[in-house]
Amino acid sequence: MTAVEERPRTLHRLALNETPYPPLEPVRRAMAGCLPGMHRYPQFYADDLMARIAEWRGVPVESVVVGSGSVGVAYQTLQAFTDGPDDEVVYGWRAFDAYPIITDMAGARRVEVPLTPDGAQDLPRLLAAVTDRTRVVVLCNPHNPTGTPVPARALEEFLTALPRDVLVVLDEAYMEFAADDALPQGLDLLRSGHGRLVVLRTFSKAYGLAGLRIGYGVATPATARRIRAKSVPYSLTETARIAVTASIAAEAELTARIATLSRERARLQTALRELGWRVPESRTNFLWLDEPQRCAAFHDACAAAGIEVRLYRDEGIRLTVGEPRTNDLVLETARRLSAS
């Protein structure tokens, strides 16, 4: 038997923050209905999709940008608002792995600011890192990979204190899971006059369309126009448009699914804490195990049990919330490791 054959087959994917559930039934039916037209090109710049999202979110269509996931819109934004290695992009670190990648792709310089000891983005240090070369600051709310929120007042004060020529990319990829009226909403901030803001949302997480790669951004019309200029023609498929339209119409089913995942998140979080694992309060569909010393052992134990989790070596584990039976297996693995 070869070394590859000796490895256990991963049965439970909890490393990429995917929902464990397939697209909702009405969304699957809608996608199946568009298959006969796959020999036709989609719209050049997805105008109909932007119009539908604008109607749904109550904003002018001129304020909407769509792209290949929210990270695609983020990359277009950096392309539009940076111009070479003298321009800086500031963000907290650790963060979403794509931030340094797209900053490098845009040709800008990374400025990575450490998180606070409790895994939050350090707004005072982020503000202090801004220079006259800073073009973009990226905030993730709730944060990836720690799940921590930026409170409304702190975010308002941060935006007000920033120089007026610095753009803020507010990544709200997990906002649907926050279920917290006190958490600031990017669209409300835009409406209240914070014009140097791009609010990112995605259909990859709560909506279960990660494989279709569809996200959107909302900004002022002037900002959105600059970002749209970096769009790739024909980049969003007709299947994606149909799926998004059907997903928007299925809000009741989506809300029920989010509630199910949120209950599982709470159950998993409570049980892990009772076993002695340090787990900050999460507002997302994943948990952060703040365990620098034990994270490698936890990762290896999960792999042996057929569970794929995201290891940040010497930092912690990001653990996506799965179906109940998968979460039970995670808890069984954590229990054995705690007892060893």
Side-chain angles (χ1 to χ4, degrees):
M1 183 178 292
T2 67
V4 172
E5 291 172 335
E6 290 172 356
R7 296 173 186 164
R9 181 167 60 95
T10 298
L11 302 176
H12 307 279
R13 294 174 50 169
L14 303 181
L16 294 179
N17 296 342
E18 302 153 325
T19 175
Y21 303 112
L24 296 164
E25 178 60 30
V27 179
R28 297 202 299 272
R29 288 198 303 269
M31 287 192 290
C34 75
L35 292 179
M38 288 298 98
H39 60 300
R40 302 297 185 188
Y41 280 103
Q43 284 188 323
F44 203 66
Y45 283 129
D47 295 324
D48 287 353
L49 180 57
M50 287 187 283
R52 182 66 186 93
I53 291 172
E55 178 187 23
W56 173 45
R57 289 306 188 190
V59 298
V61 68
E62 295 82 7
S63 291
V64 177
V65 184
V66 291
S68 179
S70 56
V71 70
V73 181
Y75 175 48
Q76 292 169 214
T77 303
L78 297 192
Q79 287 181 303
F81 284 87
T82 63
D83 188 27
D86 290 335
D87 289 350
E88 297 173 345
V89 177
V90 177
Y91 50 86
W93 191 254
R94 169 127 353 234
F96 179 31
D97 294 336
Y99 294 163
I101 294 172
I102 62 175
T103 301
D104 291 349
M105 290 172 64
R109 189 169 80 87
R110 312 178 200 170
V111 178
E112 298 178 344
V113 177
L115 303 181
T116 66
D118 59 355
Q121 293 159 104
D122 194 329
L123 298 190
R125 290 185 69 178
L126 283 167
L127 189 60
V130 171
T131 71
D132 59 1
R133 296 184 298 276
T134 303
R135 299 293 172 262
V136 178
V137 174
V138 182
L139 294 176
C140 187
N141 198 29
H143 189 57
N144 177 12
T146 59
T148 53
V150 178
R153 182 174 178 181
L155 181 55
E156 284 268 12
E157 292 174 351
F158 180 81
L159 294 174
T160 301
L162 275 177
R164 295 181 63 83
D165 61 344
V166 174
L167 183 73
V168 174
V169 173
L170 184 60
D171 185 349
E172 295 185 339
Y174 300 95
M175 187 61 76
E176 287 84 2
F177 297 102
D180 187 345
D181 292 339
L183 206 63
Q185 301 284 318
L187 291 181
D188 293 337
L189 292 168
L190 271 171
R191 294 185 182 107
S192 69
H194 289 286
R196 297 288 294 181
L197 187 64
V198 179
V199 181
L200 301 182
R201 290 290 187 97
T202 184
F203 290 94
S204 296
K205 308 300 182 187
Y207 292 87
L209 301 179
L212 290 180
R213 306 306 305 128
I214 175 70
Y216 65 98
V218 182
T220 65
T223 297
R225 187 161 50 248
R226 287 180 63 173
I227 300 170
R228 282 187 181 187
K230 302 298 181 181
S231 299
V232 177
Y234 296 129
S235 60
L236 295 179
T237 67
E238 179 66 4
T239 306
R241 185 189 71 80
I242 291 291
V244 166
T245 301
S247 294
I248 290 172
E251 285 292 316
E253 294 97 323
L254 180 72
T255 299
R257 176 172 288 185
I258 290 171
T260 297
L261 279 170
S262 297
R263 286 192 297 271
E264 277 300 295
R265 177 186 67 197
R267 181 176 76 89
L268 189 59
Q269 179 174 265
T270 298
L272 285 168
R273 287 174 173 174
E274 290 174 349
L275 289 170
W277 297 84
R278 291 192 299 272
V279 185
E281 193 73 24
S282 175
R283 308 295 182 89
T284 63
N285 71 326
F286 59 84
L287 299 176
W288 173 250
L289 275 62
D290 183 17
E291 293 283 352
Q293 305 301 319
R294 295 196 288 174
C295 60
F298 184 86
H299 171 270
D300 293 346
C302 285
I307 309 165
E308 186 181 72
V309 300
R310 181 68 166 88
L311 171 66
Y312 297 88
R313 193 167 295 279
D314 301 323
E315 297 179 52
I317 291 284
R318 190 186 65 195
L319 174 67
T320 304
V321 178
E323 295 179 275
R325 64 187 181 90
T326 302
N327 299 331
D328 289 342
L329 185 56
V330 169
L331 291 175
E332 180 184 333
T333 303
R335 190 175 295 111
R336 286 200 306 267
L337 189 59
S338 297
S340 62

